[in-house]
Amino acid sequence: MNTEEFQARARVMKALSSPVRLMIVDELSRGERCMCELQPMFPMNKSTLSRHVTALKNVGIVSERRKGARCFLKLETPCILNVFECTMGVIRAEAKRHAKLAK
Amino acid sequence: MNTEEFQARARVMKALSSPVRLMIVDELSRGERCMCELQPMFPMNKSTLSRHVTALKNVGIVSERRKGARCFLKLETPCILNVFECTMGVIRAEAKRHAKLAK
DNA sequence: CTACTATAGCGCATTGTTGCGCAACTCTGC
DNA sequence: GCAGAGTTGCGCAACAATGCGCTATAGTAG
């Protein structure tokens, strides 16, 4: 089996391994947004936000469309959203397990 | 929207953000394995491998079943495998994009 | 054309987090 | 007691995240 393939997968997962970036993806799942729209939603330095977006662009999850000074972001691979359903399954199962242990 | 939910998701993604751990998941997708079976497959210290497995157990992706001194590992949430299909979609799209840029 | 503002990204320094191997440890079965 | 299977503590090196300030480009007003 190909090692590079696993590394490529890992890079994609890594890009999604931050709450902030997941929130960005969630926001973009509801439509195109520009950086200036995202900034008020995230209580952080704009350069930090820009870097998070860049991380998502780097692995191809998000694409940009420039319009003058603005830069509209779009979710390039919406199947990412299915991933979240699965993760929620993992999380729910885990919560159930913890509840059992607590008994 | 709930911040904790995003953090929980991020934790799951983080657990999957390492090539080694993806390879472990891939191996477990073909059936139960014990640590001693995994060790020859991974050219690393067994403590390191143990920690990778622990990371997967912590988020509920992998479960263990002890049998004597051995510890059999099982993929608890196989829907993770669907995630990989999506990531491969992302990767292929990205490869195509790179090919275009190269032209 | 120039000056000014808004949008976005980059370089640097700091801080925090991971991954790793080594060694020491627990637990099981002989 | 001893060997095999796994886990944990520790220290080091590499990496990631953040804030600050600076640059580049687009658009606009004069």
Side-chain angles (χ1 to χ4, degrees):
Chain A
M1 177 59 94
N2 195 352
T3 307
E4 280 180 35
E5 203 173 289
F6 284 108
Q7 285 177 346
R9 282 181 188 178
R11 270 196 302 276
V12 175
M13 301 309 259
K14 197 173 207 167
L16 293 169
S17 70
S18 137
V20 176
R21 290 196 286 268
L22 290 178
M23 284 189 248
I24 294 172
V25 169
D26 181 72
E27 182 57 32
L28 293 182
S29 75
R30 288 190 283 279
E32 267 191 347
R33 298 282 184 278
C34 74
M35 289 293 288
C36 54
E37 284 173 306
L38 292 179
Q39 271 172 41
M41 300 179 194
F42 296 92
M44 59 179 57
N45 200 291
K46 71 189 172 118
S47 73
T48 303
L49 181 59
S50 168
R51 265 179 271 236
H52 281 298
V53 170
T54 303
L56 291 170
K57 281 194 288 191
N58 279 342
V59 296
I61 294 172
V62 163
S63 67
E64 70 173 19
R65 180 171 62 85
R66 289 203 164 265
K67 178 126 188 194
R70 297 206 173 173
C71 165
F72 286 93
L73 303 169
K74 194 179 121 197
L75 202 57
E76 196 62 28
T77 47
C79 68
I80 290 288
L81 301 173
N82 303 340
V83 173
F84 295 155
E85 297 214 6
C86 174
T87 33
M88 285 316 289
V90 176
I91 291 162
R92 272 192 292 271
E94 188 59 7
K96 218 178 272 180
R97 208 174 61 88
H98 274 153
K100 256 188 197 166
L101 285 177
K103 276 179 196 170
Chain B
M1 178 59 95
N2 195 351
T3 307
E4 282 180 33
E5 203 172 289
F6 284 109
Q7 285 176 346
R9 281 183 189 177
R11 272 197 301 276
V12 175
M13 301 310 260
K14 197 173 208 167
L16 293 169
S17 71
S18 137
V20 175
R21 292 197 285 272
L22 290 177
M23 284 189 245
I24 293 173
V25 169
D26 182 69
E27 182 58 30
L28 292 183
S29 75
R30 288 189 284 278
E32 267 191 346
R33 299 282 185 275
C34 74
M35 290 291 289
C36 54
E37 284 173 305
L38 293 180
Q39 271 172 40
M41 300 179 192
F42 296 91
M44 58 180 59
N45 199 289
K46 66 181 176 145
S47 75
T48 303
L49 182 58
S50 168
R51 265 178 264 241
H52 280 299
V53 169
T54 303
L56 291 170
K57 282 194 288 191
N58 278 343
V59 295
I61 295 172
V62 163
S63 68
E64 70 173 19
R65 180 173 62 85
R66 292 205 164 262
K67 179 128 186 191
R70 298 202 173 175
C71 165
F72 285 93
L73 304 168
K74 194 179 120 195
L75 203 57
E76 196 62 27
T77 46
C79 68
I80 291 289
L81 302 173
N82 302 341
V83 173
F84 295 155
E85 297 216 4
C86 174
T87 33
M88 285 316 290
V90 176
I91 292 161
R92 272 192 293 270
E94 189 57 9
K96 216 177 275 179
R97 208 175 60 89
H98 275 154
K100 254 187 200 166
L101 285 177
K103 275 179 200 172

